[in-house]
Amino acid sequence: MARLLVLRSAPYHRSHLSATATFLLSPSNSKHPHSASASASFPSTARRILLPSPLRVPARAIESSPGTTKQEPTPAAGEGEAQEPPPPAASAFEVEELGWGTQLAVKLRMLVAPPWKRVRKGSVLNMKLRGEISDQLKTRFSSGLSLPQICENFVKAAYDPRISGIYLHIEPLRCGWGKVDEIRRHIVDFKKSGKFVVGYMPVCGEKEYYLACACGELYAPPSAYVALFGLTVQQTFLRGVLEKVGIEPEIQRIGRYKSAGDQLARKSMSNEVREMLATLLDNIYGNWLDTISSKHGKKKEEIEEFINSGVYQVARLKEEGWITDLLYDDEVMAMLKERVAQKDKKSLRMVDYSKYSRVSKWTLGLQGGGEQIAVIRASGSITRTRSPLSVPSSGIIAEQLIEKIRTVRESEKYKAVILRIDSPGGDALASDLMWREIRLLADTKPVVASMSDVAASGGYYMAMAAPVIVAEKLTLTGSIGVVTGKFILQKLYERIDFNKEIISKGRYAELNAADQRPLRPDEAELFEKSAQNAYALFRDKAAMSRSMNVDQMETVAQGRVWSGQDAASRGLVDSLGGFSQALAIAKQKANIPHDRKVQLVEISKPSPTLPEILSGIGSSLLGVDRAVKGVLQDVTSLNGVQARMDGILFERLEDLSGENQLLLLVWISNVTNSETKTAWAINFVEKDRFVGGSED
């Protein structure tokens, strides 16, 4: 018989944060990680389970009142110097059995659940993790995977007495290391429920193995593709291509490390950018070695030696103990069928990601209590207004997000707010307008910024408005700098015999209009001063937001991108962790007891309109890919000063590199109708302001 148990945290010091969780634990034939027997069940008496300890937030962030703008200055380390990040806090949890009333309520809800939410007892949750993983919630009309729903499925499966375990298919991932760490953390937590989690990995790269090795067992087919060769970072440069067609980019990048625009303005990597990218790569590779060596109980040097030998044979992974065994998918499912004691001749009883995502937390007794905490998600590139080419969930549209922020600010039912950010930045003006609204929101209730894969440039602009910032160790953040520019098309016009004449009034009237000639010296000077002014505004607001003086902020700004771990040691981030860490901090700042459940309200939860649904169906029928729409939108919407991080392409990290975007545009011009080609060509010629670099 299933027993519903609650985890209560032990007393803690006021400078430490604790979180609570509730588990529905049922006897299982799978081996519990802390049991001596595979069939061990929990006794009626309380027992302890150790959960991952949240990190301690600096007193500066913890003790400030909600919305406070005055904080004690945090010394900023100079270049090459780093402060120690906050140490983790030890915390134990006691398990107590809930009363029979709660258990009965859960059983009744499962009994009366609608068909699309019903799960047969003894089922295995099968989730296929591959491709792009969005930080936004998805509707049933949206394709792709959603990080919040993946994580929620792990939590629900841990409670659900109908789920015996999880079978994960892990294939090539197109997401950052921040999301991978979040999922990995949930795999580790799920194993503490006593249920099995089995991984299957037909294609093995560094990122896929990093995630898969968290599973209790890991299998691969004998023919699996393996490429454990190490990690790379790369940038692409189009300056030579532009010169050949007669286009000269005029760029103003403020910040020695600001690489946005380099793709169009340079033919090679600058020394500063090379230094920055080498440091980021060291962080990622070092973390990978630390995690894998800890998993296998070996020294980092042994793991690195193994990788440097060139690992391409899956048999070597089995020989070295990196995977459990070599089995095909059907063999793994046959093994799981036996493990869950399914004696009939039918195939393994499974429920997939999509269906299980529709199982409500309320059915499992996981719905929070009376206090509500708002969750505002901001993902993608930042624009100020919605463009005609915008598609649902196409990015952060400032005017829409501001409306949501104001709604939360004016409501008294929300006790705190978690601002979840996954953005490389974008329009500087839009970023500043949202910064202002987030500051006003923080004057009324606690606001905690939680960073996903990336929160850089405009993404960091948003985050720094919150009194507390939480990031993953490998979140890409910082990049405090701006870029602006225009195309000089004189040579191109001469080659195609195109003429453009302008009649103007005012000394600088042609600054943004004249692309048929180079800038005059006085125009170039004004152009640079405008960019410098935008950078100073960004830097000074960052200094004020993070309680630093301008000189301190300057040492960590200059457009430099930091990993979350390095950002924490330099005062740009307060705490390391994922969404659960941000939630624990939000509860603490809202004076909500750590052992009290709360209700998370998704403010930016998608609810597509009928035209959007029909548009999505029509797009699929016409073969118009969303990625194509996204590239066209970028081409037509880039304008003004930008707070944007350049596209940093780590191996198996990004979706489209710069040259692929260029080739995609060439493909569009070749395969679409003549009207589309003409519109794009006219836009390209007429667009005189731009931002260089592909987006993260």
Side-chain angles (χ1 to χ4, degrees), residues 4 22 33 74 111 118 123 188 198 362 384 387 389 394 421 433 437 542 595 661 667:
L4 193 62
T22 308
T74 300
L111 186 63
R118 290 181 184 174
S123 294
V188 173
V198 172
W362 177 83
R384 191 170 59 86
S387 77
L389 287 172
S394 60
I421 302 174
L433 296 179
E437 293 297 330
D595 56 352
Q661 289 192 17
W667 173 80

Side-chain angles (χ1 to χ4, degrees), residues 27-335:
S28 171
N29 291 330
S30 61
K31 188 174 181 180
H32 189 279
H34 302 296
S35 302
S37 167
S39 61
S41 60
F42 283 87
S44 58
T45 56
R47 56 184 302 181
R48 291 178 179 268
I49 294 180
L50 295 179
L51 294 181
S53 304
L55 296 179
R56 180 166 58 88
V57 176
R60 174 176 69 86
I62 284 287
E63 297 173 358
S64 58
S65 60
T68 185
T69 57
K70 184 177 180 181
Q71 298 173 329
E72 292 299 318
T74 300
E79 296 181 20
E81 300 176 0
Q83 304 167 10
E84 288 296 324
S91 181
F93 292 82
E94 295 179 357
V95 182
E96 293 183 358
E97 187 173 355
L98 291 182
W100 62 270
T102 305
Q103 298 180 46
L104 180 61
V106 170
K107 291 180 179 179
L108 289 174
R109 290 169 187 167
M110 291 179 179
L111 186 63
V112 299
W116 56 88
K117 293 184 179 181
R118 290 181 184 174
V119 178
R120 295 184 64 183
K121 187 176 181 181
S123 294
V124 174
L125 172 58
N126 181 23
M127 292 196 290
K128 296 182 179 180
L129 305 182
R130 64 185 173 199
E132 183 181 354
I133 299 177
S134 171
D135 207 71
Q136 293 279 22
L137 292 171
K138 298 278 190 178
T139 68
R140 65 182 61 188
F141 302 102
S142 305
S143 59
L145 297 171
S146 164
L147 179 67
Q149 288 164 331
I150 291 172
C151 296
E152 185 175 283
N153 279 353
F154 275 107
V155 176
K156 291 186 299 187
Y159 296 106
D160 198 333
R162 303 167 297 182
I163 298 295
S164 298
I166 295 179
Y167 183 30
L168 287 182
H169 275 238
I170 300 172
E171 299 198 32
L173 299 166
R174 293 199 307 272
C175 65
W177 293 92
K179 290 190 182 78
V180 173
D181 264 329
E182 185 86 57
I183 297 173
R184 196 177 195 281
R185 189 180 299 115
H186 277 79
I187 294 175
V188 173
D189 286 351
F190 175 82
K191 291 193 294 185
K192 295 182 173 68
S193 69
K195 301 178 182 181
F196 65 81
V197 54
V198 172
Y200 183 74
M201 184 179 59
V203 179
C204 177
E206 282 77 10
K207 186 177 295 181
E208 291 72 40
Y209 186 76
Y210 180 85
L211 179 62
C213 72
C215 298
E217 302 167 45
L218 179 57
Y219 300 92
S223 55
Y225 291 134
V226 176
L228 294 177
F229 304 142
L231 298 174
T232 62
V233 59
Q234 52 186 286
Q235 273 196 311
T236 55
F237 302 93
L238 302 175
R239 180 60 183 266
V241 176
L242 296 179
E243 287 180 352
K244 289 183 182 299
V245 298
I247 298 176
E248 180 183 352
E250 187 78 29
I251 304 232
Q252 285 297 332
R253 298 179 310 279
I254 310 302
R256 292 190 297 123
Y257 296 94
K258 194 67 178 177
S259 60
D262 282 2
Q263 184 182 46
L264 301 178
R266 296 180 59 90
K267 294 183 179 180
S268 61
M269 196 180 297
S270 68
N271 293 333
E272 291 82 2
V273 171
R274 187 178 300 276
E275 172 199 344
M276 176 183 73
L277 296 183
T279 301
L280 289 172
L281 188 59
D282 285 344
N283 285 172
I284 295 172
Y285 191 51
N287 179 75
W288 191 89
L289 290 175
D290 287 340
T291 302
I292 305 305
S293 61
S294 176
K295 169 68 179 178
H296 294 293
K298 297 181 178 180
K299 296 180 179 179
K300 288 174 56 177
E301 292 76 14
E302 295 179 81
I303 301 297
E304 192 165 19
E305 182 180 355
F306 182 65
I307 294 300
N308 288 338
S309 67
V311 185
Y312 63 92
Q313 296 170 306
V314 69
R316 291 191 62 191
L317 296 183
K318 180 184 177 183
E319 292 170 4
E320 296 288 335
W322 283 48
I323 62 176
T324 306
D325 204 353
L326 298 177
L327 296 175
Y328 286 102
D329 182 35
D330 63 290
E331 294 176 303
V332 177
M333 288 192 291
M335 177 192 68

Side-chain angles (χ1 to χ4, degrees), residues 499-570:
N499 185 39
K500 180 177 181 179
E501 295 183 5
I502 300 174
I503 299 175
S504 61
K505 190 70 173 179
R507 180 178 178 183
Y508 297 107
E510 297 184 12
L511 179 64
N512 296 322
D515 56 10
Q516 83 283 11
R517 62 170 177 81
L519 293 175
R520 302 190 309 263
D522 60 330
E523 289 176 325
E525 181 181 359
L526 182 62
F527 199 55
E528 180 181 359
K529 286 182 178 179
S530 174
Q532 289 282 0
N533 179 67
Y535 170 71
L537 289 174
F538 188 0
R539 178 202 60 201
D540 294 353
K541 285 185 177 178
M544 183 266 289
S545 300
R546 300 304 298 165
S547 299
M548 298 181 186
N549 60 48
V550 173
D551 290 339
Q552 288 175 322
M553 179 54 66
E554 187 71 15
T555 64
V556 294
Q558 290 287 329
R560 179 156 187 169
V561 179
W562 302 96
S563 67
Q565 184 168 288
D566 285 348
S569 67
R570 288 164 172 82

Side-chain angles (χ1 to χ4, degrees), residues 141 610-624 626 629:
F141 302 102
L610 180 60
E612 288 174 335
I613 296 172
L614 295 177
S615 173
I617 296 173
S619 296
S620 299
L621 293 176
L622 293 173
V624 180
R626 292 172 63 92
K629 290 184 186 178

Side-chain angles (χ1 to χ4, degrees), residues 386-526:
R386 192 180 188 93
S387 77
L389 287 172
S390 294
V391 294
S393 305
S394 60
I396 303 170
I397 301 171
E399 62 180 7
Q400 294 181 351
L401 191 67
I402 285 173
E403 289 181 8
K404 295 172 183 176
I405 293 172
R406 288 176 177 172
T407 299
V408 173
R409 173 161 59 92
E410 294 167 1
S411 175
E412 296 182 357
K413 63 183 179 181
Y414 302 117
K415 303 302 180 183
V417 180
I418 297 175
L419 178 64
R420 179 72 174 181
I421 302 174
D422 189 25
S423 170
D427 187 281
L429 171 59
S431 303
D432 184 68
L433 296 179
M434 291 186 291
W435 174 86
R436 171 64 178 173
E437 293 297 330
I438 297 167
R439 295 279 293 185
L440 293 175
L441 176 64
D443 285 335
T444 64
K445 55 198 67 182
V447 178
V448 179
S450 172
M451 296 177 171
S452 184
D453 280 341
V454 56
S457 289
Y460 186 78
Y461 210 132
M462 296 173 62
M464 71 189 191
V468 182
I469 301 176
V470 180
E472 296 284 0
K473 290 184 296 182
L474 297 181
T475 294
L476 299 181
T477 188
S479 192
I480 300 170
V482 300
V483 60
T484 188
K486 60 178 295 180
F487 287 122
I488 306 300
L489 305 176
Q490 181 180 12
K491 293 181 180 179
L492 175 62
Y493 288 168
E494 291 173 355
R495 290 181 182 180
I496 63 176
D497 200 19
F498 178 86
N499 185 39
K500 180 177 181 179
E501 295 183 5
I502 300 174
I503 299 175
S504 61
K505 190 70 173 179
R507 180 178 178 183
Y508 297 107
E510 297 184 12
L511 179 64
N512 296 322
D515 56 10
Q516 83 283 11
R517 62 170 177 81
L519 293 175
R520 302 190 309 263
D522 60 330
E523 289 176 325
E525 181 181 359
L526 182 62

